[in-house]
Amino acid sequence: MSIVHDTPRTRTTYDGVDAIENALAEPTQGLIDAMPSITGDIAVLGVGGKVGPSVAVMAKRAAEAAGVDKKIYGVARFSDPHSRAFLEQNGVECVAADLTDDDQLAALPSASNVIFMAGNKFGTTGNESFTWAMNSYLPGRVANRFRDSRIVAFSTLVAYPLADVATGGSREIDPVGPIGEYAASCVGRERVFEHHSLKFGTPLLIFRLGYSIETRYGVLQEIAQAVQDGIEIPLEMGHASVIWQRDVADYAIRSLTLATSPPRRLNITGPEIVSIRWLAHKFGRILGKEPRFTGTETGTSYVMDGSSIQSEFGFPSTTLSTMIDSVAAWVAADGETLGKPTKFQQRQGKF
């Protein structure tokens, strides 16, 4: 299987899981140039998730490439030994801790910069109290512990209501409108972090992400797999916002330089609002399969305008065309998946 990766200057093909994980953590020149301005160490809280290893390893590699002495801490329970091994092999200092335990939280090493990625989404339905504890209560404990740090706090595009696709998607100035317990708890996360930022003067950036993509999971992988397997693709959620995981990691680290009090919110996504029907036909041509559909487009979807982050740091280094080619090659080769469906087509907020 081949993974094709774009940079502003080169186009390279990677093969296999190890290669894609390394490619997702490769720093851009823009990040390397920015690292001297990010003073102090960096702690990535919730590093064991899908995106966390890319963020932490990229930060370490960028610091080394920039010639700056900077510790990168990765904090998680580390239920996945592969994730911890990848981090440690790349110089990230792993700290095993349960963030919900106040004593363990207090014992974490101090860092001038914190990227907060912990949270709960899948399994919310039927376990709402845990989701609220992780997504709304825990941020207050973290914000209090790291009141003297800069914080980039991951959030989600579902903090917004479903948007009219014809208007270009939700913008940062638009009001929130969460649907369902998960989305509401994420708005709670934002508000609790905001409260502590205003109370302590903590520089904060709310990082509203939608949707991170790589070969093993994400909107594109799910559409490509459905085409490959002949499964009907629902069209009620007819469009999506997508961005390659390497660019997510790059933006997350560089966003430390944008943290302010009062806090700023930024939409993190690619420049296109992508039609699900168009994607399916595109994958169909590559894979030699005819896509099957059910339902029709409603005109509203979880989509957002990413022009603000792009004006700060430029367009993502990985184009939509390259994402499609990489995912199609992975699916055609029966590459492994992470087994974590995004449920991006969920319109009632039940995750």
Side-chain angles (χ1 to χ4, degrees), residues 256-336:
L256 288 164
T257 65
L258 303 179
T260 58
S261 182
R264 182 176 179 182
R265 291 166 173 81
L266 274 181
N267 293 344
I268 311 301
T269 195
E272 306 94 350
I273 292 177
V274 189
S275 161
I276 301 302
R277 186 188 295 271
W278 178 86
L279 276 175
H281 282 297
K282 182 76 171 177
F283 282 122
R285 287 191 292 273
I286 297 171
L287 297 170
K289 302 289 183 72
E290 186 66 29
R292 302 174 60 210
F293 302 102
T294 181
T296 58
E297 292 85 349
T298 61
T300 62
S301 291
Y302 282 123
V303 290
M304 58 186 182
D305 179 346
S307 58
S308 291
I309 189 67
Q310 291 148 23
S311 69
E312 292 286 353
F313 300 134
F315 286 103
S317 62
T318 306
T319 65
L320 177 62
S321 176
T322 295
M323 288 190 258
I324 290 170
D325 289 344
S326 298
V327 170
W330 194 267
V331 169
D334 197 26
E336 67 179 66

Side-chain angles (χ1 to χ4, degrees), residues 87 100 240 264 351:
L87 292 162
T100 65
R264 182 176 179 182
F351 294 101

Side-chain angles (χ1 to χ4, degrees), residues 34-281:
M35 286 306 282
S37 66
I38 303 174
T39 57
D41 298 334
I42 300 174
V44 183
L45 307 187
V47 75
K50 296 185 295 294
V51 183
S54 297
V55 173
V57 172
M58 182 181 289
K60 185 62 177 179
R61 290 177 177 177
E64 290 176 347
V68 297
D69 184 16
K70 192 183 301 292
K71 290 183 178 180
I72 310 298
Y73 299 105
V75 181
R77 286 172 291 185
F78 293 113
S79 57
D80 177 11
H82 174 80
S83 174
R84 180 166 189 164
F86 176 65
L87 292 162
E88 290 179 337
Q89 288 164 7
N90 284 277
V92 175
E93 299 191 23
C94 291
V95 181
D98 181 351
L99 294 173
T100 65
D101 184 296
D102 284 346
D103 292 337
Q104 294 184 48
L105 178 61
L108 292 180
S110 295
S112 299
N113 306 279
V114 171
I115 300 176
F116 180 81
M117 309 182 71
N120 187 66
K121 178 179 181 180
F122 303 115
T124 290
T125 300
N127 197 19
E128 291 82 359
S129 61
F130 176 73
T131 296
W132 279 90
M134 286 296 296
N135 294 349
S136 298
Y137 173 75
L138 177 59
R141 307 304 300 148
V142 169
N144 186 67
R145 165 65 180 82
F146 290 99
R147 66 175 72 178
D148 297 322
S149 304
R150 296 183 207 90
I151 299 176
V152 168
F154 270 57
S155 188
T156 171
L157 86 168
V158 300
Y160 296 113
L162 293 162
D164 183 346
V165 173
T167 67
S170 299
R171 300 169 295 168
E172 290 88 347
I173 62 172
D174 293 339
V176 295
I179 300 172
E181 298 259 356
Y182 165 69
S185 72
C186 291
V187 173
R189 174 199 292 142
E190 293 189 9
R191 296 303 191 203
V192 170
F193 267 120
E194 179 182 22
H195 167 75
H196 286 80
S197 174
L198 296 174
K199 180 178 180 180
F200 299 123
T202 304
L204 172 66
L205 188 287
I206 301 293
F207 194 85
R208 286 179 175 163
L209 174 60
Y211 283 106
S212 182
I213 300 296
E214 59 122 305
T215 57
R216 296 167 297 170
Y217 78 91
V219 175
L220 300 191
Q221 188 277 330
E222 292 173 25
I223 298 300
Q225 196 68 58
V227 172
Q228 178 80 337
D229 295 343
I231 297 172
E232 289 186 334
I233 299 168
L235 290 175
E236 288 82 1
M237 192 78 79
H239 295 77
S241 293
V242 296
I243 181 171
W244 195 243
Q245 184 167 303
R246 180 188 185 223
D247 294 300
V248 175
D250 174 79
Y251 286 160
I253 302 162
R254 287 208 269 174
S255 288
L256 288 164
T257 65
L258 303 179
T260 58
S261 182
R264 182 176 179 182
R265 291 166 173 81
L266 274 181
N267 293 344
I268 311 301
T269 195
E272 306 94 350
I273 292 177
V274 189
S275 161
I276 301 302
R277 186 188 295 271
W278 178 86
L279 276 175
H281 282 297

